[in-house]
Amino acid sequence: MVLINDSMLENLITSKTRIRILVKFFINSANNGYLRGLSEEMNESTNSIRKELNNLEEAGYLQKVAIQNRVSYSANTNHPLYSTLQKIIFQHIGLDSIVELILERMGAVKKIIVIGDYANGVDSGTIEVIIIGDDLNTEYITQLSGKIEKEIKRKVQFYMTQKHEGAGLVIYEDEDLQKNKMRPLSKSDV
């Protein structure tokens, strides 16, 4: 497990606005945004957001679509570096660490789903995680919370259940569940 901490990514990408935009769009390919909405969400000027959106779109990392009088931006999932960038963002946030530590001794985990701000690409500091499975080790997750928070420098809230019907970002799914699926996940599944 390699953890890309905040300073490592900030040394590589010096614009905090660019990092926040990359998190927004690459944590979940279903995320999209408009200039003004992103400006309000990130509490940044429209000019700084526009500059970063244009740079990322010109490089091919983002795609834009005109919808009525507004331009919507989203990750370009066809870009050759899309999956690499997504992995870097997952490591930056700490999602890969969460999955690895949960699967270590948690029990029969079927799915791990991120909900809330992080599923929507907002780096708010609190990651909400739903763990779905049978006979989950609740004592282990209580001990694990502190360890994960220390490692990824973000607060993590865990919810354990046997079933989840709501929206969220699936970051782990048991191989048996994947084999039984008849169709790929669509944006409406997220």
Side-chain angles (χ1 to χ4, degrees), residues 53-141:
L53 289 172
N54 286 339
N55 287 338
L56 291 167
E57 194 265 332
E58 286 173 17
Y61 298 117
L62 297 182
Q63 55 191 10
K64 64 181 181 179
V65 177
I67 301 171
Q68 294 171 349
N69 289 337
R70 300 168 89 183
V71 177
S72 175
Y73 293 87
S74 61
N76 179 1
T77 57
N78 295 318
H79 192 281
L81 295 177
Y82 171 79
S83 60
T84 303
L85 278 171
Q86 190 173 50
K87 286 177 188 173
I88 290 170
I89 295 301
F90 273 46
Q91 289 175 344
H92 171 70
I93 299 298
L95 297 180
D96 62 325
S97 297
I98 290 172
V99 170
E100 187 174 310
L101 290 169
I102 287 173
L103 295 179
E104 212 170 81
R105 296 190 317 216
M106 192 61 206
V109 177
K110 293 179 182 174
K111 269 189 190 180
I112 303 173
I113 302 172
V114 174
I115 59 170
D117 288 344
Y118 280 90
N120 295 316
V122 178
D123 191 354
S124 65
T126 301
I127 302 173
E128 296 177 271
V129 179
I130 296 175
I131 304 170
I132 301 170
D134 300 320
D135 301 320
L136 298 174
N137 185 344
T138 55
E139 289 178 25
Y140 175 65
I141 201 66

Side-chain angles (χ1 to χ4, degrees), residues 1 3 94 97-98 100-102 104-105 140-156 158:
M1 160 180 53
L3 180 66
S97 297
I98 290 172
E100 187 174 310
L101 290 169
I102 287 173
E104 212 170 81
R105 296 190 317 216
Y140 175 65
I141 201 66
T142 303
Q143 296 170 354
L144 189 60
S145 293
K147 182 178 179 181
I148 288 176
E149 288 176 11
K150 184 177 175 185
E151 186 171 317
I152 68 172
K153 296 177 179 58
R154 289 172 173 80
K155 184 169 177 37
V156 182
F158 290 103

